[in-house]
Amino acid sequence: MSVPGVAASPFTILLLDGFAVRRADSAVAVPPSGQRLVAYLALRAGAGRSVASAALWPETPEEKAQACLRTAVWRVNRVAPGLVVTRGTHVSLAPDTVVDNREFTTRVRRILRPAGDTHPSPVDDDGYAWLLRGGELLPGWYDEWVLLEQEHTRQLRLHALEAAARLMAAHGSHAGALELAFEAVRLEPLRESASRAVITVHLSEGNAVDAVRHYEWFRRLLDAELGLRPSAQLTALARGQVVPPRGPAGDRAVTPW
């Protein structure tokens, strides 16, 4: 995934939609053991040698794991000199290294600011379309230390898609808002807040029939998959018992969800 706003740096680490290391405009071929080390350090502000070696080689005796860490550091710095820095018992990436997941997280948090804070305009940042261009953290990696980070990134993206849909609808960009909301549904079909985003955007545009149609789709899916019913709040929204307020320009604006 290409995240706009990534600054120039000697090294850029790409973790979204696949692993890569770049130096300037060139790819750096990092060996597999080095990839795991670089990814691990990119997801945290460095670590102690013993902590890093235990996480990366959990089934290896401590002394051998430490030796594996030293070898991995050497292999990375052989192809990317200066990328991994060791000081005493601490190991980290070079301080000016850019990590796309960090940039992604920073941009998402701007969208998730509380109401009343200044949000980036939907006209800027290509209408939040960058949220539609992937964003899965290290797909195909199943190491224990990466699983929680994958879920964290996925949740951030889902919340950002829903919030950005609300912001775009409030600016009258209903088609773009629906695209964002439907992407959240595609990522997690059983997530009620994602369907609430779709329904609310439909209602903000005055399309009550489309709102009810999506509600019925979600209701049937939830029943078939989990034997559950939508919340009373979602049902009331779809039935028109909760009406999105009008925005300052007179257009309907979606309510928070």
Side-chain angles (χ1 to χ4, degrees), residues 132-217:
L132 301 172
R133 295 194 287 266
E136 183 181 358
L137 180 71
L138 295 172
W141 289 45
Y142 302 105
D143 301 78
E144 196 64 35
W145 51 267
V146 82
L147 295 178
L148 182 62
E149 300 294 343
Q150 288 172 333
E151 179 61 13
H152 178 226
T153 299
R154 191 180 74 90
Q155 288 293 329
L156 277 177
R157 184 173 176 230
L158 284 164
H159 279 92
L161 285 164
E162 294 165 4
R166 171 170 53 85
L167 290 168
M168 289 197 75
H171 282 78
S173 301
H174 295 101
L178 277 175
E179 192 171 7
L180 292 164
F182 274 120
E183 178 66 8
V185 172
R186 185 191 68 80
L187 288 174
E188 188 52 80
L190 296 173
R191 181 181 172 93
E192 181 166 309
S193 58
S195 279
R196 185 180 299 122
V198 172
I199 291 168
T200 309
V201 175
H202 280 316
L203 291 175
S204 73
E205 197 175 10
N207 294 326
V209 172
D210 289 327
V212 172
R213 181 183 296 119
H214 185 84
Y215 170 82
E216 289 299 325
W217 171 85

Side-chain angles (χ1 to χ4, degrees), residues 9 18 44 84 86 109 114 121 148-149 154 176 215 218 241 255:
S9 169
R44 49 193 43 78
V84 178
T86 57
R109 286 173 177 162
S121 168
L148 182 62
E149 300 294 343
R154 191 180 74 90
Y215 170 82
F218 178 70
Q241 296 170 353
T255 52

Side-chain angles (χ1 to χ4, degrees), residues 217-236:
W217 171 85
F218 178 70
R219 182 187 61 78
R220 291 192 299 269
L221 179 68
L222 199 62
D223 180 60
E225 294 292 330
L226 301 176
L228 298 176
R229 295 180 179 180
S231 69
Q233 292 84 352
L234 186 69
T235 301

